[in-house]
Amino acid sequence: MTTLSLEAPLREVSAPPQMEIVYAPPAALADVPMHYCPGCSHGAIHRLIAEVVDELAIRERTLCVAPVGCAVFAYKYFNFDSCEAAHGRAPAMATGLKRVLPDRIIFTYQGDGDLASIGANEILHASLRGEPISVIFVNNAVYGMTGGQMAPTTLVGMKTTSSPLGRDPLTQGRPIHITEMLATIPGVAYAVRRSMHSAAEIRKTKKAIRLAFQAQLQGLGLSIVEVLAACPTNWRLTPIEALDFIRDRMLPEYPIGDFKVDERLREKG
Amino acid sequence: MARALWKGNEALAEAAIRAGVDAFFGYPITPQTELLEYMARRMPELGRVFLQAESEIAAINMVYGAACAGARAMTSSSSPGISLMQEGLSYIACSEAPCVVVDIMRGGPGLGNIQPSQADYFQLTRSAGHGDFHPLVLAPATLQEAVDLMYASFDLAFKYRTIVIIAGDGALGQMMEPVEMPPMRPPAPDRPDWAVFGAKGRPPRAITSLYLDAEELEQVNQRLQAKLKVIAANEQRWECHLTEDAEYLVVAFGTVARIAKSAVRAARAAGVRAGLFRPISLWPYPSEALSKLIGQMRGVLVVEMNAGQMLEDVRMAVCGRTPLRFLGRMGGVIPMPDEIAAEIVHMARTHQRGNGHGAQRLLQFKE
Amino acid sequence: MTQGAVLIRSDRCKGCGLCIQACPQQVLAFAETFNARGYRPVQLDERERFCTGCGVCAIVCPDVVFTVYRQPLRRAERR
């Protein structure tokens, strides 16, 4: 192990001369450090949303409803208006916002405990109403903020602080497939699952987030993108191992796919 | 404007509409549901938002969302539903989003029944949710007063950025009385400068009730407490009835206060100089006004449709200076005028027999 | 091969290493020292010139540390 010297200055790379910027942090993302753990996917998902908001040029009329969970500080990380819902209630709060601000773009950002456990009734009825809001549903199989408890999306046999012997389907049920469930509801225009476990998958996730916002812009009904995300800290894995965990353990239970795509949904030019 | 016969729940709904309510989110629960039904008919007619939510929990969070956008938002429910709304009310209070809530109280605890009750008094005035906050709680005794208070409620909510609760009961909600409706007020011109509705031409805003830093949250609390002091100083409301020469004071609010007026009349006919003190604001409680009357009184009788909740506020105001008695009916039973009158007369008679000043006899319930 | 480069905000890096693994040209490595938050930030290593500005690092980075540059194509190649 090389000994790390604390004195050596960090190699600052100044902007290379006469080169074109091909990628820079999106304007809709606040220029502040984020509190997420190293390797957590939340930060990257926030960035994708901000990129989509920039590309659709809707920053000035987009509102985020932040959840209770690891993303409880999401409202600090976006350069647009936001508010914070009680745990699980974001779809209801978003409904209230959308009903009085019908021409604004409202999206909720929710974790799996928030959306599929305490908030299952809210997301169900927002979908039944076809509420024209977008839902970014981050599935990392545990309750992150509170230290890694079992969530409705915890895999069978998966150890968490509240399923220490591994989730037992006989007493703790099986992982919920809420996005597939919601896809059966007429009011839902777009319901897909994506993942963050590789650059290629992240690109697809961004495209799905863009289509979700597009569905809202076209007023087609509720759009939801479930995003499989890494939680290195609570999975007790390194960030790299966490991506493997998604690929090897989560994908078999939670296959990536499109469960509902309204045929009227078109990719804006 | 001519007076017309209105049903309580519908009068409250129309008054809210005339006050300019933008959005109503509710859920069916007796004895309040006609308010929701009325809104279901009228709000769409006016191009305003009406939505029956999937639960009271969802309803209050929809109100929270609409309120964050600066809209005049309200919900209405009854005791069990108000219990479900408590978390939402706490979030709303912390983020100072203004809104109006109607509670048409019913028999409890538990599923209870649909008869009138006043047993939500503590819930509304002491703990409408976790944390230190108090909604402004107004308790009408007549339908006209209910309409007038509702008509003023949104201005109060926005003036103080607070929750205003109109506390009625099953009797008020269901009965009919002649009412003069106030004129239709135009919708609010522009959005308040604290609201979130899209960061166009200004920095983004966030409305949250999350403050992980203890000092910061204490400052938020200090700001809330300072606001409550201002509300307490300015929004105390009460009515004194025949108290100028009274020696025995009945203290009651809402439906029970109306009944107590008959009892006061009956007691006076029986030679007992009785009067009534009727709080209209349950929070802030009109303690000074009540306290001023105590000096001249030989006894105070508190009458409520619960086990003795406002009783505690009265006890604080009386401060042991005169005998304090309590008559409580529960389960949705409404006390009758003769019951209350008998209690006043009994108090006067026992006083004459020298039952004395200091003895603070609490007649817990009607045997 | 287009020539690229990246600007790294070392203070924001949490040393998760996702970019190092993902970089197709393997031009990124942990620095020898710590940033103010106690993480070993990523930096371009001696293979720096092989960077093509593909932006994969920026795609996988959870903390928006990268700004990616590319040498503009000479006018002839642009047509």
Side-chain angles (χ1 to χ4, degrees):
Chain A
M1 225 313 258
T2 56
T3 56
L4 298 172
S5 68
L6 297 180
E7 293 72 25
L10 292 171
R11 262 169 44 79
E12 280 309 326
V13 176
S14 58
Q18 87 294 24
M19 278 212 183
E20 278 175 1
I21 288 187
V22 290
Y23 178 81
L29 199 66
D31 185 11
V32 294
M34 290 189 262
H35 74 290
Y36 298 113
C37 306
C40 164
S41 307
H42 275 302
I45 298 170
H46 290 7
R47 194 198 70 235
L48 296 181
I49 293 169
E51 287 170 9
V52 166
V53 166
D54 282 352
E55 286 160 22
L56 294 175
I58 51 174
R59 191 185 68 79
E60 290 184 333
R61 59 193 187 93
T62 297
L63 288 94
C64 166
V65 180
V68 169
C70 283
V72 73
F73 286 126
Y75 67 87
K76 283 187 179 178
Y77 303 139
F78 291 119
N79 261 338
F80 42 77
D81 276 1
S82 56
C83 48
E84 174 122 74
H87 192 36
R89 316 309 172 194
M93 191 171 198
T95 297
L97 276 169
K98 187 73 178 186
R99 292 292 172 119
V100 298
L101 298 170
D103 60 347
R104 302 306 198 275
I105 305 307
I106 314 282
F107 73 95
T108 73
Y109 187 100
Q110 299 178 256
D112 35 22
D114 189 278
L115 181 131
S117 194
I118 189 171
N121 199 36
E122 274 72 17
I123 190 61
L124 171 62
H125 283 275
S127 302
L128 290 170
R129 291 191 301 269
E131 209 69 46
I133 58 176
S134 301
V135 176
I136 308 304
F137 164 36
V138 179
N139 173 0
N140 60 11
V142 287
Y143 281 80
M145 173 61 87
T146 41
Q149 293 74 34
M150 183 179 77
T153 47
T154 296
L155 306 177
V156 170
M158 186 175 173
K159 286 191 172 65
T160 72
T161 60
S162 58
S163 60
L165 305 176
R167 180 175 188 171
D168 172 6
L170 295 179
T171 56
Q172 295 162 318
R174 293 180 169 279
I176 186 172
H177 288 254
I178 197 157
T179 306
E180 287 91 328
M181 291 158 62
L182 297 174
T184 67
I185 297 171
V188 172
Y190 187 66
V192 301
R193 179 177 300 117
R194 296 292 184 269
S195 176
M196 297 294 283
H197 69 274
S198 73
E201 294 303 332
I202 292 173
R203 279 203 188 87
K204 290 185 210 159
T205 300
K206 175 176 175 177
K207 194 167 183 312
I209 291 173
R210 186 183 166 107
L211 280 171
F213 277 77
Q214 185 58 37
Q216 181 173 168
L217 282 165
Q218 288 178 239
L220 300 178
L222 186 135
S223 46
I224 179 166
V225 179
E226 176 178 346
V227 185
L228 301 183
C231 180
T233 298
N234 289 308
W235 294 355
R236 290 172 175 54
L237 297 171
T238 70
I240 306 285
E241 289 164 348
L243 300 187
D244 299 339
F245 181 86
I246 295 176
R247 189 192 57 231
D248 303 335
R249 296 283 308 284
M250 287 189 79
L251 283 188
E253 179 67 51
Y254 288 111
I256 290 170
D258 294 357
F259 311 121
K260 178 87 174 281
V261 180
D262 188 309
E263 70 280 358
R264 293 168 296 172
L265 180 56
R266 45 176 169 59
E267 175 58 35
K268 201 167 163 192
Chain B
M1 259 289 278
R3 283 154 60 96
L5 206 55
W6 282 85
K7 186 185 184 86
N9 283 331
E10 294 180 345
L12 279 164
E14 182 60 25
I17 284 170
R18 307 236 169 161
V21 62
D22 296 311
F24 175 90
F25 305 97
Y27 189 81
I29 182 168
T30 306
Q32 157 275 163
T33 313
E34 293 86 353
L35 200 159
L36 170 125
E37 289 167 341
Y38 188 88
M39 287 299 201
R41 294 194 298 274
R42 279 283 279 157
M43 290 292 266
E45 275 173 23
L46 301 162
R48 303 184 193 180
V49 172
F50 167 83
L51 180 56
Q52 179 179 309
E54 58 268 30
S55 69
E56 287 93 346
I57 293 174
I60 192 66
N61 281 288
M62 291 175 184
V63 167
Y64 187 18
C68 284
R72 292 172 165 236
M74 74 175 283
T75 185
S76 65
S77 188
S78 177
S79 314
I82 299 295
S83 296
L84 288 177
M85 293 184 175
Q86 288 202 290
E87 184 199 36
L89 290 172
S90 180
Y91 274 66
I92 290 170
C94 184
S95 39
E96 299 183 88
C99 72
V100 174
V101 176
V102 175
D103 179 11
I104 302 297
M105 293 184 266
R106 66 186 251 175
L111 184 54
N113 62 28
I114 55 172
Q115 303 299 330
S117 161
Q118 299 182 320
D120 295 0
Y121 185 91
F122 279 157
Q123 181 176 20
L124 301 179
T125 62
R126 297 295 192 280
S127 170
H130 58 279
D132 292 295
F133 74 95
H134 292 286
L136 170 55
V137 184
L138 302 170
T142 67
L143 295 200
Q144 186 62 58
E145 189 175 41
V147 162
D148 298 340
L149 290 176
M150 174 57 89
Y151 195 62
S153 60
F154 284 101
D155 291 343
L156 288 169
F158 274 74
K159 174 180 176 185
Y160 296 107
R161 286 184 62 185
T162 188
I163 300 163
V164 175
I165 296 182
I166 305 289
D169 60 46
L172 267 169
Q174 294 299 323
M175 68 203 274
M176 295 189 79
E177 267 190 325
V179 165
E180 184 175 335
M181 272 298 160
M184 182 70 91
R185 189 179 284 153
D190 41 26
R191 299 211 176 278
D193 55 13
W194 47 263
V196 290
F197 42 82
K200 186 172 172 57
R202 61 165 171 76
R205 289 185 193 126
I207 293 182
T208 176
S209 57
L210 173 69
Y211 299 92
L212 273 192
D213 175 57
E215 268 72 23
E216 197 181 355
L217 184 54
E218 184 173 53
Q219 280 158 18
V220 168
N221 271 282
Q222 281 159 352
R223 194 176 69 238
L224 295 177
Q225 290 303 318
K227 177 169 65 175
L228 293 178
K229 282 196 181 60
V230 172
I231 294 174
N234 298 299
E235 301 304 339
Q236 292 184 31
R237 290 170 168 78
W238 67 92
E239 176 201 4
C240 290
H241 177 71
L242 301 178
T243 54
E244 303 72 22
D245 66 341
E247 291 180 324
Y248 294 92
L249 187 66
V250 179
V251 183
F253 72 93
T255 301
V256 175
R258 299 174 66 136
I259 299 164
K261 281 185 179 173
S262 311
V264 161
R265 236 188 346 270
R268 282 180 173 260
V272 176
R273 288 212 300 275
L276 168 74
F277 179 82
R278 177 173 75 90
I280 299 167
S281 59
L282 303 185
W283 202 97
Y285 196 76
S287 307
E288 290 90 7
L290 174 56
S291 181
K292 285 200 191 80
L293 292 176
I294 300 306
Q296 72 189 61
M297 297 301 169
R298 294 197 175 145
V300 174
L301 170 67
V302 176
V303 187
E304 290 180 83
M305 288 194 287
N306 55 40
Q309 296 187 27
M310 182 185 66
L311 174 63
E312 293 194 1
D313 283 323
V314 175
R315 180 179 296 138
M316 281 192 281
V318 166
C319 220
R321 291 177 284 159
T322 187
L324 174 61
R325 299 173 70 92
F326 173 70
L327 168 59
R329 300 307 301 269
M330 299 175 291
V333 171
I334 302 173
M336 288 301 118
D338 53 6
E339 230 179 307
I340 301 172
E343 211 38 56
I344 301 169
V345 171
H346 176 68
M347 190 167 53
R349 294 246 162 67
T350 50
H351 179 73
Q352 276 142 16
R353 286 201 306 280
N355 196 338
H357 249 294
Q360 188 174 326
R361 226 171 124 271
L362 278 190
L363 171 68
Q364 266 309 328
F365 315 115
K366 188 80 185 74
E367 279 80 22
Chain C
M1 278 293 284
T2 52
Q3 176 60 52
V6 288
L7 180 62
I8 296 167
R9 285 198 294 198
S10 309
D11 59 325
R12 291 278 172 83
C13 177
K14 293 175 186 164
C16 72
L18 295 181
C19 55
I20 295 173
Q21 187 211 28
C23 173
Q25 301 292 96
Q26 292 299 298
V27 299
L28 295 168
F30 286 118
E32 285 310 312
T33 183
F34 296 94
N35 65 15
R37 289 148 57 107
Y39 295 111
R40 283 179 61 195
V42 71
Q43 65 180 13
L44 284 162
D45 66 12
E46 66 291 347
R47 292 179 43 81
E48 184 174 344
R49 67 184 184 293
F50 295 109
C51 171
T52 64
C54 69
V56 164
C57 53
I59 286 170
V60 300
C61 175
D63 286 282
V64 210
V65 154
F66 293 95
T67 301
V68 183
Y69 295 81
R70 227 180 262 155
Q71 192 80 32
L73 295 177
R74 279 186 300 285
R75 202 159 314 291
E77 287 147 353
R78 274 227 183 107
R79 248 193 326 284

